[in-house]
Amino acid sequence: MNEQNSFEDFYNSLLAGDRSKSSAIASELLNYGISIKHLYEKIIRNSLYDIGKMWAEGKISVATEHMASAIVEAILNDQYPQISAMTKNNKTVIAACAENESHQIGLKMVADIFELNGWDAIFLGANTPKDDLLNFMKLRKPDALALSLSLDFNIPTINKTLESARNSFPAMPIIVGGQAFSRFNNFVLPDSNTFLIKGLDDVEQLVKSFN
Ligand code: B12
């Protein structure tokens, strides 16, 4: 297997809207023995980052970007049977994007890493209103909360969510991540049980420390 060729084939098949070829490349890579984390970051995430650049430069349309992200979401969902087949540890994480945040693919990858490590991940996805999230958490009593943010101008919004979650759940681990935090360098973690994590290796390491 040549990883660079696989990356280029995957990227091109996303741009062409070829769902079956994109899906076949992902399956071949997993059959070849690469890990889910590697597939997610080196092939899928990096393809979307390049697609984001093309979109920002006006070289591809919004429609093409939507098509590519829809194919990616389908491929992530296709992985669920192997991801959830682990022994469960009776722990639950709630995974949500902050209010006004529509970028949910990275968060879905994070939820899958929790699942791979025996957790149940309740994936709420994009644009989760703060009060609804809090009410849902009170109902489901999770063991951890994972919050994702891609847009740096949404930092004040996530701060309000963090404050409310911490008031209601004083000891619960809260994990935040997403591209907003690499662009906004002044983010201050509110307490020692809130973790700012960049990539899936670090997510897995942290999750293992909770098990
Ligand atoms: C697809 C996409 C969309 C889709 C999202 C669809 C979906 N279902 O998620 C849609 C069309 C909704 C969208 C909308 C917009 N988008 Co957009 N989008 C993208 C694109 C191309 C890919 C996003 C993605 O999935 N990346 C791949 C994932 C896997 O990467 P990731 O999110 O970084 O996740 C990784 C880590 O960050 C981390 N992580 C992520 N979340 C979490 C959470 C936790 C707890 C942890 C620990 C880790 C973690 O783990 C992941 C694996 O490594 C990006 C380009 C890019 N650079 O990403 C632009 C991009 C993010 N979008 C951008 C913009 C500007 C917008 C819009 C404002 C455009 C507009 N004018 O309407 C809107 C905003 C809507 C909103 N309110 O949120 C800009 C943001 C620029 C900035 N400075 O903030 C980008 C960078 C494009 C660009 N080059 O300009 N977008």
Side-chain angles (χ1 to χ4, degrees):
M1 180 201 68
N2 178 317
E3 188 170 321
Q4 184 58 25
N5 288 348
S6 300
F7 172 79
E8 280 164 21
D9 286 352
F10 185 80
Y11 170 78
N12 287 326
S13 60
L14 280 186
L15 281 184
D18 191 336
R19 179 174 167 184
S20 52
K21 185 166 181 198
S22 312
S23 180
I25 295 168
S27 303
E28 272 165 29
L29 287 166
L30 290 174
N31 289 339
Y32 190 80
I34 75 159
S35 67
I36 289 274
K37 281 186 296 181
H38 197 87
L39 171 70
Y40 280 7
E41 293 198 314
K42 301 292 183 234
I43 307 289
I44 299 180
R45 180 194 62 189
N46 291 353
S47 292
L48 285 173
Y49 282 177
D50 284 358
I51 284 170
K53 279 187 211 139
M54 298 276 281
W55 171 31
E57 290 165 5
K59 291 179 180 159
I60 60 165
S61 66
V62 171
T64 302
E65 168 280 311
H66 280 23
M67 176 179 71
S69 30
I71 292 174
V72 163
E73 293 205 86
I75 291 174
L76 295 190
N77 287 334
D78 287 347
Q79 308 314 317
Y80 191 68
Q82 17 176 347
I83 282 168
S84 69
M86 299 290 303
T87 313
K88 293 292 181 189
N89 64 8
N90 291 321
K91 290 189 175 179
T92 303
V93 60
I94 289 181
C97 293
E99 217 159 321
N100 193 31
E101 179 62 67
S102 301
H103 301 92
Q104 63 174 17
I105 294 171
L107 179 73
K108 178 70 174 56
M109 293 180 175
V110 169
D112 284 353
I113 299 304
F114 273 90
E115 291 264 357
L116 272 168
N117 285 280
W119 289 55
D120 279 323
I122 302 178
F123 178 71
L124 304 184
N127 190 14
T128 310
K130 172 173 71 69
D131 293 342
D132 282 291
L133 174 63
L134 260 289
N135 287 338
F136 189 75
M137 288 170 69
K138 285 173 189 163
L139 211 61
R140 301 303 290 255
K141 300 184 177 48
D143 299 284
L145 171 67
L147 285 175
S148 181
L149 197 70
S150 294
L151 301 169
D152 27 351
F153 56 76
N154 271 339
I155 294 269
T157 312
I158 205 171
N159 277 335
K160 285 187 195 147
T161 306
L162 284 172
E163 194 184 341
S164 303
R166 184 50 80 221
N167 284 342
S168 300
F169 297 87
M172 186 183 62
I174 302 178
I175 306 118
V176 296
Q179 289 175 71
F181 301 100
S182 27
R183 292 193 202 96
F184 181 84
N185 295 322
N186 298 329
F187 185 73
V188 181
L189 286 170
D191 55 68
S192 61
N193 225 8
T194 303
F195 305 88
L196 174 58
I197 302 289
K198 271 197 177 162
L200 301 182
D201 278 335
D202 292 339
V203 171
E204 183 151 59
Q205 224 179 328
L206 187 68
V207 175
K208 283 187 191 303
S209 78
F210 296 153
N211 281 348

